[in-house]
Amino acid sequence: MSNTRDEQRCDVTGVTADGAAWLASAGTYPRSTRALWEERPDAPVVLPCGTAFDVVGAPAIFGRRMLDRLWDEGPGSGPVAVFRGRMLLFAAPGTAQRLPSLLHWEEFGRTGAIPPLLCHGTGDAVTLPAPTAADAPSPTRPDSRWLVAPDTRHPWLPGPEIVLWAAVRAARAAVRISIFPPADQGAKVYDVSRRR
């Protein structure tokens, strides 16, 4: 992995002014949103999905596996936050509508390998961590923070196919594959190595 990519991945301390402008653009009243953040920069915010971004919510551990796949084997990610035990992956508008059918098509719903992903799109709103400045101290709530903070007015956002790819890769990494059948837990085992 290149140093530039490592630096991008590690620079997660807070939302920049351009990133805050992009987040605020999702709301109906961007100036009011920015004024709220100036007054209370440590408060979580609720923003609508579907215009500037969609959000895919995953359980924290599985979401971290997805994020690792996106950075280690794929194109990277857009902004990513953790809020109350869920990983929130920002995706291109329209992802929330398309991703469930792609997951169903992959037939992972019946295997249980991919946990339920919550897709927030048009008509939905999500609560996001406070957009603390990059030079501010870390947030007081460790369960509410930016992992990859917005830093530009036009961030790259993965589409449904890339999010699907990351979910499938994360599920495959979590499943141990063995060529031996599972042991029968009720079977009696005899030591035949000492037979004469």
Side-chain angles (χ1 to χ4, degrees):
M1 196 181 304
S2 71
N3 285 345
T4 304
R5 191 172 229 187
D6 283 340
E7 290 167 5
Q8 289 174 344
R9 186 176 184 179
C10 294
D11 185 19
V12 296
T13 54
V15 177
T16 65
D18 285 343
W22 171 71
L23 284 172
S25 74
T28 307
Y29 304 105
R31 280 195 243 160
S32 297
T33 303
R34 298 286 302 271
L36 171 68
W37 289 338
E38 287 174 12
E39 184 180 316
R40 296 194 56 212
D42 60 339
V45 295
V46 177
L47 290 175
C49 299
T51 54
F53 55 79
D54 281 0
V55 172
V56 177
I61 292 173
F62 188 79
R64 183 59 195 217
R65 288 184 189 137
M66 288 177 63
L67 186 59
D68 287 345
R69 294 297 158 263
L70 285 166
W71 281 102
D72 293 343
E73 302 170 18
S77 72
V80 180
V82 173
F83 192 79
R84 294 190 176 163
R86 296 211 46 103
M87 181 86 61
L88 305 175
L89 297 132
F90 283 70
T95 299
Q97 181 181 3
R98 182 81 176 113
L99 185 59
S101 61
L102 290 175
L103 287 167
H104 181 71
W105 178 76
E106 284 287 334
E107 299 181 342
F108 276 98
R110 62 186 170 96
T111 65
I114 296 179
L117 300 178
L118 302 178
C119 298
H120 305 282
T122 303
D124 297 327
V126 292
T127 304
L128 302 173
T132 56
D135 58 353
S138 62
T140 57
R141 295 182 51 141
D143 64 340
S144 175
R145 68 187 186 285
W146 289 97
L147 294 179
V148 180
D151 61 355
T152 178
R153 289 181 186 264
H154 303 286
W156 177 80
L157 299 171
E161 295 83 6
I162 293 173
V163 175
L164 173 69
W165 173 87
V168 169
R169 291 289 176 118
R172 287 181 184 164
V175 175
R176 303 273 184 211
I177 299 174
S178 174
I179 59 171
F180 301 105
D184 184 3
Q185 298 298 325
K188 294 186 181 190
V189 179
Y190 301 97
D191 184 3
V192 294
S193 62
R194 296 186 181 173
R195 283 192 159 174
R196 294 183 189 188

